Amino acid sequence: GLGSAILSLIFIVGLGLGLGLYFALRSKNVMKIRKRTLELEDEFSSALFQLGNRLGDGLPAEIAFAKVAQTMENTTSGDFFNLAEKNITQLGMGMEEALFDEKVGALVSFPSNVIESSMKVLLESIKKGPRIAAEALLSMSRYIKEIHRVEERLKDLMADVISSMQAQIKFLTPAIAGIVIGITSMISAVLTQLTAQLAGYSTTTEASSAVGLSEMLTIFGIGIPTFYFQLVVGIYVVQIIYILTTLSSGIENGADKLGERYALGKNLISSTLLYCILAAVVMIIFNIVAVNLTAGSMTY
């Protein structure tokens, strides 16, 4: 019946929301740090360019950090170099400790492979003099800029694929599945009502007609209950959302486990709720239509 089909949605809500909250809570707080790191990576090429110019002017790296932090004040790059400069001046650390210390190093607040590699290049090249370090940083700046150009080009080429997958995750899959469940529920309700009507009618007919009606009743009795079918489709929807989100995150961001978990948490919660709400609404509407149809046929 309709009640059991709607109650079966609770299982799908629990499955989707449980997985979604698990991934969302694991990545929620860390995403704030990840967002700042991505902002730093986007503007780090210009920061390296300025740092390379300061070293090329003959300034020591410690003073160059302070100059770049002052020039790029109120930016993520400025915060990074300001943190490194404070570790040097206030905590008395060397450059390597100021950047790579496991507790207060600047890279602890901005975890990034690109920034870590750039700072390692700086530490190795500064041993050979500020001129060599300046040339190395300028080369790194051009390299990072070219990486961003390639990334933007790849995103542009894959935009159609990613947008299609996102549309399926956020709307198409939950909407189509919910409508299918509603239609199945309506068909099941119509067949149930017809079976009951034919059973009642067969008791008032002759024996030969009753045999034919009994055969029709066996045909209408074949089928899967709506709540079983809904459970199968609901689990399928959750699986499709998980698979498509993992694929789209890999295409868009590469091997980014944190971004993948964040996207899984967001998509599993929103898409599962959308599917369950649509399925419940469509089932109620279509069952009302089914009741009216069977009532009309019985009157006729």
Side-chain angles (χ1 to χ4, degrees):
L2 176 61
S4 60
I6 293 178
L7 287 176
S8 67
L9 291 170
I10 297 176
F11 178 81
I12 304 303
V13 171
L15 178 63
L17 289 185
L19 290 173
L21 288 174
Y22 169 75
F23 289 115
L25 294 176
R26 281 193 65 187
S27 58
K28 181 180 178 181
N29 294 328
V30 188
M31 280 302 296
K32 298 177 181 178
I33 300 175
R34 179 59 174 160
K35 184 178 179 181
R36 294 183 64 200
T37 303
L38 291 176
E39 292 176 355
L40 178 57
E41 288 181 355
D42 289 338
E43 61 187 33
F44 201 60
S45 60
S46 61
L48 286 180
F49 182 79
Q50 292 195 33
L51 182 61
N53 286 333
R54 296 293 188 277
L55 293 175
D57 294 337
L59 293 177
E62 293 81 359
I63 299 177
F65 278 2
K67 294 291 184 181
V68 174
Q70 184 178 1
T71 304
M72 304 189 69
E73 191 176 2
N74 298 324
T75 64
T76 310
S77 297
D79 294 339
F80 174 78
F81 287 109
N82 187 41
L83 180 59
E85 189 265 337
K86 283 184 179 179
N87 289 340
I88 295 172
T89 57
Q90 297 181 8
L91 300 181
M93 293 182 171
M95 185 182 299
E96 184 174 359
E97 291 181 336
L99 293 170
F100 294 98
D101 188 81
E102 295 181 355
K103 294 183 178 180
V104 296
L107 285 169
V108 174
S109 301
F110 300 91
S112 169
N113 292 330
V114 175
I115 300 170
E116 182 180 356
S117 300
S118 302
M119 293 300 99
K120 286 181 179 179
V121 170
L122 171 63
L123 291 176
E124 292 299 323
S125 59
I126 201 69
K127 297 176 183 178
K128 301 178 181 179
R131 297 285 182 180
I132 302 298
E135 293 179 2
L137 290 182
L138 292 177
S139 298
M140 285 292 297
S141 174
R142 289 191 294 269
Y143 172 71
I144 293 174
K145 190 177 295 184
E146 291 297 324
I147 288 178
H148 289 321
R149 284 182 57 190
V150 173
E151 287 180 352
E152 293 300 324
R153 179 57 179 164
L154 288 175
K155 288 181 180 180
D156 182 58
L157 292 174
M158 301 299 294
D160 293 338
V161 176
I162 294 173
S163 61
S164 175
M165 296 175 73
Q166 291 293 332
Q168 292 185 51
I169 294 169
K170 296 181 182 298
F171 180 73
L172 290 179
T173 300
I176 293 172
I179 293 172
V180 168
I181 292 298
I183 294 173
T184 304
S185 176
M186 181 183 70
I187 295 173
S188 178
V190 170
L191 292 179
T192 302
Q193 293 291 332
L194 288 177
T195 302
Q197 292 176 23
L198 289 173
Y201 181 69
S202 64
T203 60
T204 62
T205 58
E206 298 178 355
S208 59
S209 300
V211 173
L213 288 173
S214 63
E215 293 178 356
M216 293 180 66
L217 290 176
T218 57
I219 295 174
F220 288 156
I222 298 173
I224 180 173
T226 305
F227 55 88
Y228 285 153
F229 185 71
Q230 191 283 131
L231 288 175
V232 173
V233 173
I235 294 173
Y236 166 78
V237 169
V238 174
Q239 289 176 336
I240 287 296
I241 293 169
Y242 185 94
I243 293 170
L244 289 179
T245 301
T246 303
L247 289 176
S248 63
S249 176
I251 293 172
E252 189 173 7
N253 303 318
D256 185 5
K257 290 296 181 182
L258 179 60
E260 178 183 309
R261 285 196 293 266
Y262 181 75
L264 281 171
K266 184 170 62 175
N267 290 336
L268 282 171
I269 292 174
S270 60
S271 299
T272 303
L273 287 177
L274 177 61
Y275 161 73
C276 292
I277 292 171
L278 282 175
V281 171
V282 174
M283 278 194 291
I284 293 172
I285 294 174
F286 281 14
N287 272 267
I288 293 174
V289 173
V291 170
N292 293 331
L293 287 173
T294 53
S297 64
M298 183 171 59
T299 303
Y300 177 78

